Each structure stands twice: as structure tokens, then as C-alpha cells.
Amino acid sequence: MKVLLVGGGGREHALAWRIAESPLLTKLWCAPGNPGIAAHAECVAIGAEDIPALVGFARENGVDLVVAGPEAPLTLGLADACAEAGIACFGPGKAAAMLEGSKTFTKEVLDAAGAPTAAWKRFDDPAAARAYVREQGAPIVVKADGLAAGKGVVVAATLEEAEAAIADIMESRVHGAAGARVVIEECMMGEEASFFALCDGERALPLAAAQDHKRVGDGDTGPNTGGMGAYSPPPAFTDAMRDEVMARVVNPVLAEMARRGSPFRGVLFVGLMLTATGPRVIEFNVRFGDPECQALMMRLRSDLLPALLASARGDLSGVELEWSADPSLVVVMAARGYPGAVKKGDPIGGLDKAAAIPGVRVFHAGTARGADGAVVASGGRVLGIGAIAGNLRAAREAAYAAVDALDWPGGFCRRDIAHRAL
Ligand code: AMP
Ligand code: GLY
């Protein structure tokens, strides 16, 4: 089977690694890929958002399955364009990708499905939004309705913060058009977990859960990021919770999406708050999480490719995936300055030494090849240092030993990944 993987970050490196191991695979391309992915796939210089070029490449090269890593190509209609060309695509069509693209759409679907989530209201008018937060009181959550690169959410501890968020999002338009509308939500309390389910439009197969670390600094301090580390499974997310989320969230949401004529295929990322009254949905994403995907792929024991294909073709029946009981952990190495502006082009040494540590795997996220062929930093999140071991503490030790084996003065990481579990 010929596969085209779309994307070029740590998530795609982890997917490329597992897809490349499949006995069903005959050829793997990745667009645009990165130097780490190049060990498993032929990288092609097509941007992950260039839908016509991706589909054109797939058609010319007889690709059997396109696998979308990030959400952007999906919200731009990659799966729909593949369907038109008669090519299977892992990931939802544009209409179903609204579960990530629009917060109000998601809340409407959750309510229609009867799924547990925060009470919410939508506003087009800043004055009405302000009046509502005054009436509700703090803490309260203010969200830009559209895609805001994960930065459109303010968990306001005070009314002043909430009103400032409304002004920034709706009046100053700090996230552009995404701030034309806001969603104001009840603030839920608890630990967060990311749960993943493979979907075929009708059926869903639970994958595994992970816990991300969104803040840049140790002890969950500093600004939000795309994720500074993850581990799987999070002990706070029990099997009973998984069953409850499948029964009360994933299955009813799939039924509601099908009823609306936009069945969901691909991987549903359920962002959960584990509250005192049970797991409640914070948000959905329509793709694997990053770095969560790296942690999941390290625990996966089965062939990933047939599962991706079954989801894309709309029939997951009979698919089973086996997971290692051993926990995995990923430490993200970012370039100094992240999540703000970063310096690019610094060489990264010690990659082989890090990868030689037992149980460790180094995923490339934002790397490139310098003029002399050396691996250099080229993004905010640069590497994912994954480790798997008999217990979480040992996995953490192995991951940080690998971090310490790297020679990259321009990089940094959090030193407390999995602190909630340890
Ligand atoms: P989102 O972009 O929707 O994932 O939100 C980003 C972060 O904001 C989440 O990971 C949570 O930490 C927090 N958050 C979002 N919605 C709520 C909520 N209703 N209650 C408490 N925290 C929230
Ligand atoms: N790590 C969170 C995300 O992928 O959205």
C-alpha cells in the first residue's frame, strides 16, 4: 500500500515511524516532512495546506491512503478533495472538521448529543458579553469562536480579566476574524486528560489517553503552548471513565454528526476535564494531539496502518489495537523564547547519543538540515524525547537522560513532565 502522510512535526514523525513498520506498506511519502521523518519516508516539498498539490501528487503516484496529521488541511477540505479523486483519506471532511474549527458548532453538537460539558453562551456583541460575565461572576472562561492557533482561550480568575479578554478578542481582534464571536463558558475544575478514539463515521474504537502539559514552565506556570510534554496513560483517567466517555460523549457525538449529514471519520481528540462529577468535555480536535501522539505511538503494539485505512474506508468493525501496559512519556525540547519568537539555525548535537539510551526515541518536530547537512533547530517546538519503561519514573529518567545527552545550548524543556502522576 502506498501512503502519503501530510504534515511535518513530532506527531507526524511518530505516525511515520509506525506506518513505516507496517508489512502492508510499499511506499511512504511525507509532505513536507522533516529530517527525522526522512528516516522512514520520502519527504516531498509540498506544504501541508496546499490541497490541490497534495491531491495531485497522490493521484499521479497512485497513493492508496492519505493520512492527515494536522487539522489545517482537514479544515481546508483535504478529505473532501481526496474523496472526489477516489483516494481514501484518514481524517474528517471539512464539515465534520468543524468540531475543531468552530467552538459554537462543537457546543451545539455536544448539547444535542447530551454530552457532559461546561454551560455556555455565544455572543456577537461585546456589550452583551460583558453584561453576561458580570451576571455570572468569576472564574469564567472566554473563548474566541474561530481557530486562533490554540491561543484564543482565556481562563479568567477575575471579572477584570474576563472583560479585558472580551475587549482583546472582540474589539482589538488580537486573533483576527476568529474573534468576531466569543463563547463564554462555565469554568470547570479538575485535572485535564486527552482521550483519543478512532472513528469510521458510525463506530468508534477507544485508543488511549494521555496528559499534556500546556504551560511553558515547570509547575504549570507561564504562557500556554502547543504542549511541552505528555505521558500515557494518565492514572487519573480510569477505565471506568474511558467507558463513560465512549458511552456519553464519543458514541452520541458520532450519531449526532451522522444525523447532521457530516459523519466523523478519523481520530477524535476529546479534551476532558476530570471533574468531581465525572469527565466533562472541554473541546474536540479532529486529529491526534501533539505531543500526545508521540506518547501513544510509543505504546502501540499493533500495526497502525490497517486501523487508519479502516477508519478512512468507513468500516472499523473487526479492528483491534493492542497497547503496551508500560507507560510512555515525552519531553518536548523547544527553542529558547518559545512560545514567543525563537532563533532558528542552531545546530543540535548528541542526537545519536540520546537515541541510544534504552527505551528512548527522538522525534523531530521543528528541525531542518543546515548547509553542512547537520540537523538544526527550525521551529518553536523542536524535538520530542520519548521514552517507554516498566514504570513512569523509569520512563521519565530515561527521557531526561536523553535530554542531557543532547548538545544544544539554545534549547530548553520542562523538567517536571508527569509531575501530577509521580
Ligand atoms: P481549548 O483551546 O478549548 O483547549 O482551551 C485551552 C485550555 O483552556 C484548556 O486546555 C483548559 O485548560 C482551559 N479551558 C478551556 N475551557 C475551559 C473550561 N470551560 N473550564 C476550565 N478550563 C477551561
Ligand atoms: N497538545 C495539544 C494539541 O495537540 O492540541
Side-chain angles (χ1 to χ4, degrees):
M1 185 185 311
K2 295 183 186 175
V3 178
L4 171 63
L5 174 63
V6 177
R11 162 183 48 215
E12 289 76 31
H13 188 174
L15 292 172
W17 164 48
R18 299 321 304 251
I19 292 170
E21 285 187 336
S22 173
L24 298 176
L25 186 78
T26 52
K27 175 80 190 176
L28 177 61
W29 291 277
C30 187
N34 68 35
I37 292 172
H40 313 288
E42 182 183 334
C43 296
V44 290
I46 301 175
E49 296 173 28
D50 189 345
I51 309 302
L54 292 168
V55 177
F57 179 91
R59 200 189 272 136
E60 279 155 33
N61 291 280
V63 164
D64 302 293
L65 176 68
V66 173
V67 176
E71 68 280 10
L74 296 167
T75 56
L76 293 169
L78 175 64
D80 312 85
C82 285
E84 256 170 55
I87 301 165
C89 179
F90 176 74
K94 198 173 180 168
M98 291 261 291
L99 281 179
E100 176 154 0
S102 165
K103 295 196 193 291
T104 55
F105 176 82
T106 300
K107 294 300 271 187
E108 282 163 10
V109 169
L110 283 166
D111 287 351
T117 188
W120 66 289
K121 256 193 159 160
R122 173 179 64 198
F123 296 91
D124 303 285
D125 170 31
R130 278 195 196 90
Y132 180 72
V133 299
R134 281 183 208 133
E135 178 195 312
Q136 294 294 310
I140 195 154
V141 180
V142 181
K143 303 185 173 186
D145 183 41
L147 276 179
K151 291 172 188 144
V153 175
V154 176
V155 180
T158 63
L159 273 184
E160 292 69 40
E161 275 177 55
E163 294 192 28
I166 292 167
D168 288 347
I169 295 171
M170 301 191 84
E171 290 164 350
S172 308
R173 292 290 173 98
V174 293
H175 306 298
R181 277 179 172 175
V182 291
V183 170
I184 297 184
E185 287 185 13
E186 162 197 3
C187 187
M188 301 184 290
M189 305 288 185
E191 256 192 68
E192 287 181 49
S194 310
F195 172 67
F196 300 88
L198 210 56
C199 304
D200 69 3
E202 250 176 80
R203 282 158 293 240
L205 180 71
L207 298 178
Q211 190 169 53
D212 190 10
H213 297 64
K214 291 216 160 100
R215 303 297 187 117
V216 76
D218 283 14
D220 298 318
T221 54
N224 261 317
T225 69
M228 292 301 293
Y231 64 100
S232 173
F237 187 73
T238 61
D239 287 355
M241 288 184 194
R242 175 201 59 207
D243 295 345
E244 185 182 343
V245 171
M246 288 302 290
R248 294 191 60 201
V249 178
V250 178
N251 289 322
V253 163
L254 282 192
E256 174 62 17
M257 292 300 287
R259 193 191 65 74
R260 288 172 179 242
S262 44
F264 185 90
R265 288 180 184 174
V267 60
L268 187 65
F269 170 156
V270 190
L272 293 164
M273 190 71 82
L274 309 181
T275 72
T277 58
R280 297 171 75 193
V281 178
I282 300 172
E283 59 156 359
F284 288 127
N285 294 301
V286 301
R287 41 130 186 120
F288 281 108
D290 196 5
E292 292 98 319
C293 182
Q294 301 170 44
L296 255 53
M297 290 304 119
M298 291 206 71
R299 291 185 55 222
L300 181 63
R301 280 207 170 140
S302 314
D303 187 352
L304 178 66
L305 190 49
L308 299 179
L309 186 68
S311 160
R313 289 191 174 152
D315 188 3
L316 274 173
S317 49
V319 175
E320 274 176 50
L321 290 173
E322 207 192 312
W323 301 88
S324 170
D326 288 349
S328 62
L329 180 140
V330 176
V331 177
V332 169
M333 292 285 297
R336 273 189 211 293
Y338 179 76
V342 299
K343 182 164 166 256
K344 295 185 181 177
D346 280 352
I348 303 169
L351 286 165
D352 291 340
K353 224 163 99 192
I357 292 169
V360 167
R361 196 155 262 283
V362 176
F363 298 105
H364 289 230
T367 66
R369 292 256 176 220
D372 58 354
V375 171
V376 301
S378 76
R381 292 191 293 172
V382 174
L383 298 170
I385 311 297
I388 185 162
N391 61 68
L392 197 54
R393 204 169 286 281
R396 174 149 104 162
E397 270 165 29
Y400 282 116
V403 165
D404 293 334
L406 293 173
D407 180 11
W408 177 31
F412 77 96
C413 64
R414 275 183 63 164
R415 284 278 164 184
D416 65 344
I417 300 306
H419 68 98
R420 286 178 196 280
L422 287 172

